[in-house]
Each structure stands twice: as C-alpha cells, then as structure tokens.
Amino acid sequence: LVNELGNFDIKVKGLVNRPETIFIEQKDSCLVKDFPKKSKALLKTMKTFIKSNAIETLGVPFVIFHNIPNGNMLKYSMCVPVRDQILTTPESQIQGNSFESFLAVKTILKGDYSHMKNAWSKARNYITTNKFTEDKTSVYLGIYKKALPEVTEPSKWETEIYIPIVKKKAAPKKKVETDSTATATEKPVE
C-alpha cells in the first residue's frame, strides 16, 4: 500500500488551448484534506442526476477550482461535460454552465491525489521560468482521466491540471510601403 501511494510522476506538458465546454456543475467547499472524499460523493450525486434525467455526457468529469488550491479551504465545482446546455430551476443544486476556450499550462499527475500539491507547484515553476502570467479571471481545471471506481490502484490514477495563462498580444506589424507594379521576377534598377 505504501509503495502504491508513493509511486507517482508529474510532467508539465506546456501550453495548450482548452476548447469551449458546456457542462453541468454542483458547487461545494471543504478543507483541502477532505477534497478527495467530498468530491467523490458529489460526483456520485451528479451521476444519479444524469441517469435519472437521461442526459448525454461528453467525456470525463472535471473540477473547476474557484480559489487557488494552496490554502486550507477549497471552493470548487464538480462538473460533467454535456452535449447540450442544461437548464435547471434556480433552487437546484446542479446547474448548467459553460466556459469559453482558453490558453493554459497543462500538467499531468500520474499517481495518488496526495501528490497534487507537488503537481501544482511544478506547473507554477514552469509558468515562472517561461515568464507567463496566470489568468486569475479564467478557469482552473482538474480532469480525472483515470480514477475511481474504474481504476483502483492509486499509482495508475491520471489527473490533468490546467492553469490559465494570459494571452500575449502580438506586437503590431510595421506597415511597409510597396510598389504594386513590381513582380517577383523583376530586378531592381541599377
């Protein structure tokens, strides 16, 4: 068991564009140490909601972190991507939502969630080293590619972390005057 929990790997994959996504979500907050247990219970509730309402899903569940997960408390949404926008009543605990595409640094953690803090740290070091700026107004994601209940060994769990990055604006191009009568085969006059 100790070997299973201690076996992990973290790889920063670099910049990627996350596509626009439509999803349903249920918001919650908890102590960071309680997140694995609480999020699992929330996901179970959402799967029941999906099944009882015959909702078509697209892909694996993910988490949106509403505060940067480095303190003691964590605010988050457990999310499931869906094909079509879902409308629910305002008092429903599960709501439909979406986010636009965004630029992010992708990091992959293979192993137990107890190594998540190291994965976030490694991703932030990459951001600092490459002089990127986090876009704190955008979406911080955790996608559980391989997880319970399908994969029982923690060393085989795979979690993708996406930290949003501010897109740099391209420098304006200098306007170059050209002679519209010149062709590629013409030579300059001597």
Side-chain angles (χ1 to χ4, degrees), residues 66-95:
H66 297 293
N67 65 332
I68 299 169
N70 59 5
N72 285 334
M73 282 301 291
L74 185 60
K75 293 180 185 176
Y76 65 96
S77 292
M78 179 57 70
C79 307
V80 177
V82 294
R83 178 173 305 283
D84 301 308
Q85 188 75 39
I86 305 291
L87 300 175
T88 57
T89 59
E91 59 275 356
S92 175
Q93 290 184 353
I94 296 176
Q95 298 289 321

Side-chain angles (χ1 to χ4, degrees), residues 121-144:
S121 179
K122 195 166 183 178
R124 288 212 163 85
N125 287 341
Y126 179 88
I127 289 167
T128 302
T129 301
N130 289 283
K131 297 181 171 69
F132 296 135
T133 304
E134 282 185 46
D135 184 353
K136 296 186 180 186
T137 64
S138 192
V139 181
Y140 289 78
L141 286 180
I143 300 178
Y144 300 93

Side-chain angles (χ1 to χ4, degrees), residues 17-153:
N17 276 309
R18 285 293 308 159
E20 178 180 1
T21 302
I22 299 169
F23 57 93
I24 57 172
E25 69 178 339
Q26 187 171 359
K27 294 181 179 182
D28 200 2
S29 63
C30 64
L31 292 171
V32 171
K33 68 179 182 66
D34 296 334
F35 175 72
K37 187 177 182 179
K38 292 270 291 187
S39 62
K40 184 178 171 184
L42 217 54
L43 183 57
K44 189 175 181 180
T45 301
M46 292 191 69
K47 284 183 176 183
T48 301
F49 178 83
I50 289 164
K51 190 174 183 178
S52 65
N53 290 287
I55 297 170
E56 187 176 351
T57 62
L58 296 172
V60 297
F62 62 91
V63 174
I64 294 177
F65 298 100
H66 297 293
N67 65 332
I68 299 169
N70 59 5
N72 285 334
M73 282 301 291
L74 185 60
K75 293 180 185 176
Y76 65 96
S77 292
M78 179 57 70
C79 307
V80 177
V82 294
R83 178 173 305 283
D84 301 308
Q85 188 75 39
I86 305 291
L87 300 175
T88 57
T89 59
E91 59 275 356
S92 175
Q93 290 184 353
I94 296 176
Q95 298 289 321
N97 207 340
S98 66
F99 59 75
E100 294 182 6
S101 66
F102 63 95
L103 185 65
V105 168
K106 176 181 179 179
T107 303
I108 298 175
L109 166 63
K110 288 186 180 177
D112 186 69
Y113 304 136
S114 62
H115 304 289
M116 194 69 78
K117 194 172 188 177
N118 292 338
W120 282 90
S121 179
K122 195 166 183 178
R124 288 212 163 85
N125 287 341
Y126 179 88
I127 289 167
T128 302
T129 301
N130 289 283
K131 297 181 171 69
F132 296 135
T133 304
E134 282 185 46
D135 184 353
K136 296 186 180 186
T137 64
S138 192
V139 181
Y140 289 78
L141 286 180
I143 300 178
Y144 300 93
K145 294 297 232 183
K146 295 179 183 173
L148 287 171
E150 294 80 18
V151 180
T152 56
E153 300 115 298

Side-chain angles (χ1 to χ4, degrees), residues 175-182:
K175 189 173 182 180
V176 179
E177 295 287 328
T178 58
D179 179 357
S180 61
T181 61

